[in-house]
Amino acid sequence: MKTVILAEKPSQARAYVEALESSKKHPGYYVINDPILPANTVITFGLGHLVKLAPPEKYDAKYKKWSLDNLPIFPEHYQFVVPADKKTQFKIVQDQLKQAETIIVATDSDREGENIAWSIMNQAKIDIKSKTIKRLWINSLEKDAIRAGFKALKDGWAYYPAFKEAQTRQISDWLIGMNGSPLYSLLLNQAGVNGVYSIGRVQTPTLYMVYQRDNAIENFKPEPYLELQAEVSANQQKFDAKLDPYQRFKDESGLMTFMQAKHVHKGSQDGLIKDVQKQAKKSASPRLFSLSALQTMINRRYHASAADVLKAVQALYEAKYLSYPRTDSQYITDQEFTYLRQNLARYQKLVSKEIALPQIEPQSRYVNGKKVQEHHAIIMTKTVPSQEQLAKLSKLEQQVYDLVLRATLAMFADPYEYEETTVIAQVGNANFKATGKVPTKQGWKILFDNQKTDEQEPNTLPPVQKGEQVQINLQTLQKKTTPPTPFTEGTLITAMKTAGRSLDDEASVAILKDVEGIGTEATRANILEVLKNRGYLTTQKNQLHVTPQGITLCKAVEQQPLLITPKLTAKWEKALKQIKENKRTQDNFLKQIKAFILKMINEVPTQFTENKMIQSQVEKQKEIQRQAKAADEIGQCPMCHVGKIVDKGKFYGCTNYQADPPCKFTLPKKWSGKTIGKTAVKQLITQGETTTIKGFKSKKTSKSFSAKLKLTDGKLIFNFEK
């Protein structure tokens, strides 16, 4: 009777081992001894995804080379493979699973974790139905949380529908990518545009959001307008007030007509304090962090990418300092609130200023078990790092932990309190309003007083009384409308999460509101990295912009609305949710995906030949690529005298490498520890020799030396002659 605990990766397995009484390490697994677990228990682990969907050429060799004639690619049965570099560990896991009577799924507690575990079990070809399947479901890798989890294992089969949902998403994304990417790439290639153009269910509408924002900024035409502002002088002090109700004017004529109707004029004139209202107000601390909210805030404060933030939170989770990172919840349960309250004094030592934390009863703004489904908000664990341990973290990890710490402590602090004063000043028949805030109790804001903030300092108004006579100077301000602001990674993450709000279809809005927009907490950061790595997005001073290649892709796909709008995701997510709820089958959903792909394959070629906007963008991209190619060409190949020498990334090579016979001439980018620049390469291929170059290093002595480089029969050699 053997029990096998299946972890997602080695670090997770080690965390489990450290929480248990004793263990013995073997290649790829641990033998465990602990009274909370049955005798003969082992922990083994994946390396993340040990199993992945097979590429198209595994079904038929003809798919290895892209061809429009081979589309669509619809496998009758989907094949899964183990990557070559993971086969050794998979064999170890497979052997352990075959021997097991009970399997405890202990991968990450989310849909993707289910997909990883069940995919491994399926690929291992074990009789799953003959096994007892249990599920470890925890929010922290701390010892206490792990042990409590193993003592309260859940029924593993209860999570099987979550696996089917995740697998269906995986297959449907594969179908879209393996059909859409060849379709658009080949059509663009036929039109003369080089490169591979990737299509994705989430990445394409995300890219299009940035494209639309860039377009709105580029096409924005500022419009001038006028504002009427009052400078109020009272008790030897001055303050500004705006027209109430607020109004702007297109031109001087409209402003003068308004002023005549209100019996006012520009310049100084007598006025009256018509009303003074004072109101005590309170402001609660910010909500706790979901992953996307944390990514947005860290990007705003420190300009870190969403992927780097996720990496930092994951590291803090594995260090046992923060709770599970891939959460979409901003709430905790009473259980978490209790342990946070018990450890307040220890947490407080990590912030520089002392602050009262009297709010020791749960508040529904933060504590609501009904709104915690899979995982609670990101908070500190019971493991409180010392200042020395914090200092060993990376700078970003320190920033992330500090922000989560302060946001969580703020839940226990008093509200920020202030007195808001509203003054209405009257001149003629026109009213002008000014609002001022005077802090009366800093409350939770003390925790953030040393940090960057988007809030402006509150205005204070001089003491005035209702009915008081004042002097009012009316001034005209000339202003212009401003364009939308470019996306940052933080604001784009937010836009992905709330994408449904821009939809006209009420049903789609409701769906996306329920599933938190497009993408998931776990995937949004990766989507942005994919778009950047594929050259579709670029970051400039923390602002995201679409590249010319990205623009070409957007122009190509915008004739297929379901590829560029959140509506596609809304329909997909509704269906996927139904799979998880056992209201829809995987086959039923995939039939709909295939129907969409067939429609796309039938329509897109015609759109390419008939749509002038696509044709225009194709010509622009061809010219961009022509100029880039010309810039990359260093000179004529000295061997074949036909091709050009270009930068090929890791080396310099001839463009005639596909000829018959091929030209195989290459030059290294590094030679004896020295990087060879384009200037030196140009000297080599045009003159056969470079000028003297400093900075070479001897392999034997590691000493630096200077020499010329020379080409002899296509071979690179040193020339020490002066």
Side-chain angles (χ1 to χ4, degrees), residues 597-610:
I597 290 170
L598 285 172
K599 178 177 178 292
M600 188 169 61
I601 290 171
N602 289 331
E603 293 178 352
V604 172
T606 304
Q607 291 167 353
F608 262 71
T609 57
E610 295 181 355

Side-chain angles (χ1 to χ4, degrees), residues 644-686:
K644 303 289 184 181
I645 301 301
V646 296
D647 186 338
K648 288 182 173 287
K650 294 184 178 180
F651 63 94
Y652 300 101
C654 181
T655 57
N656 209 31
Y657 69 97
Q658 288 183 322
D660 188 16
C663 179
K664 296 182 179 180
F665 178 76
T666 62
L667 286 171
K669 274 199 169 179
K670 244 186 177 180
W671 185 261
S672 291
K674 176 70 177 179
T675 300
I676 310 302
K678 289 185 179 180
T679 301
V681 172
K682 190 166 187 177
Q683 291 175 341
L684 281 168
I685 63 178
T686 56

Side-chain angles (χ1 to χ4, degrees), residues 300-328:
R300 184 186 302 167
R301 289 176 182 269
Y302 306 114
H303 295 178
S305 73
D308 285 343
V309 175
L310 176 56
K311 185 178 178 182
V313 190
Q314 180 70 25
L316 290 165
Y317 167 66
E318 293 182 9
K320 306 178 179 66
Y321 296 151
L322 291 183
S323 61
Y324 185 73
R326 293 172 178 83
T327 175
D328 60 3

Side-chain angles (χ1 to χ4, degrees), residues 217-401:
I217 295 169
E218 183 179 353
N219 298 325
F220 181 82
K221 294 181 179 178
E223 295 182 0
Y225 66 91
L226 301 174
E227 275 187 0
L228 189 60
Q229 180 175 286
E231 183 186 67
V232 183
S233 300
N235 301 316
Q236 298 182 332
Q237 296 185 57
K238 295 179 179 180
F239 62 92
D240 293 330
K242 290 190 175 183
L243 195 58
D244 184 41
Y246 175 77
Q247 188 175 343
R248 61 173 59 173
F249 305 91
K250 287 186 177 181
D251 50 38
E252 189 75 23
S253 173
L255 175 61
M256 294 308 297
T257 300
F258 173 84
M259 294 178 71
Q260 289 172 6
K262 295 294 185 179
H263 305 293
V264 297
H265 58 82
K266 293 182 183 180
S268 185
Q269 52 216 287
D270 293 334
L272 175 75
I273 300 298
K274 185 177 180 181
D275 193 19
V276 178
Q277 294 182 0
K278 293 187 177 182
Q279 188 176 5
K281 290 191 172 183
K282 296 181 180 181
S283 172
S285 68
R287 294 188 183 277
L288 301 175
F289 285 118
S290 65
L291 176 59
S292 59
L294 183 59
Q295 288 169 319
T296 299
M297 185 61 70
I298 291 289
N299 176 262
R300 184 186 302 167
R301 289 176 182 269
Y302 306 114
H303 295 178
S305 73
D308 285 343
V309 175
L310 176 56
K311 185 178 178 182
V313 190
Q314 180 70 25
L316 290 165
Y317 167 66
E318 293 182 9
K320 306 178 179 66
Y321 296 151
L322 291 183
S323 61
Y324 185 73
R326 293 172 178 83
T327 175
D328 60 3
S329 177
Q330 293 185 273
Y331 295 89
I332 58 175
T333 70
D334 288 302
Q335 183 178 350
E336 289 79 49
F337 184 84
T338 298
Y339 87 68
L340 288 170
R341 180 175 58 197
Q342 291 170 346
N343 288 279
L344 279 179
R346 299 170 65 207
Y347 298 135
Q348 277 186 283
K349 291 179 181 178
L350 298 178
V351 294
S352 55
K353 285 193 175 182
E354 289 189 15
I355 179 174
L357 302 175
Q359 304 295 327
I360 57 173
E361 294 301 322
Q363 301 171 67
S364 60
R365 177 177 172 83
Y366 319 100
V367 186
N368 190 334
K370 293 180 180 178
K371 294 191 176 183
V372 177
Q373 296 179 352
E374 293 182 342
H375 297 283
H376 57 67
I378 300 172
I379 56 173
M380 301 84 70
T381 63
K382 300 173 191 173
T383 303
V384 183
S386 65
Q387 293 289 0
E388 292 75 18
Q389 288 171 319
L390 283 174
K392 292 178 181 178
L393 301 175
S394 72
K395 185 177 180 180
L396 182 57
E397 287 167 4
Q398 291 180 42
Q399 291 168 335
V400 167
Y401 185 84

